[in-house]
Amino acid sequence: MTDDQTMEAQKFADAGLVCPLGKYPLTAEGSYLVCPNCGAKYPVRDGIAMMLAEDAALPAGINSVSELKCSKEK
Ligand SMILES: [Zn+2]
């Protein structure tokens, strides 16, 4: 992880990107954008935020996107 990647993630968080599942504003964590509600981590790669649930890193104990808290709130 580089400082550049952290800054990229923060830039997207500042721009108001939200979790595509629950619409919660994301927070920057390293090179990821993290949903404070469901814990899904969306990677920022080469300056592009990967905002598909399929691309997200799932939190511990969660095995599929449909198990995420944001998915269940729909
Ligand atoms: Zn979420």
Side-chain angles (χ1 to χ4, degrees):
M1 184 194 309
T2 67
D3 287 346
D4 275 358
Q5 285 175 308
T6 302
M7 283 174 58
E8 292 285 356
Q10 187 62 53
K11 192 174 70 182
F12 285 113
D14 290 345
L17 278 192
V18 298
C19 178
L21 301 169
K23 309 301 182 198
Y24 288 82
L26 299 170
T27 56
E29 187 181 307
S31 60
Y32 286 89
L33 290 160
V34 183
C35 174
N37 187 55
C38 69
K41 294 170 72 174
Y42 300 93
V44 176
R45 295 191 196 118
D46 299 326
I48 298 167
M50 302 297 182
M51 295 308 299
L52 295 174
E54 290 73 26
D55 292 328
L58 303 174
I62 300 289
N63 299 309
S64 71
V65 169
S66 62
E67 288 179 27
L68 289 170
K69 195 176 170 194
C70 280
S71 292
K72 293 179 177 175
E73 287 181 359
K74 263 196 281 194

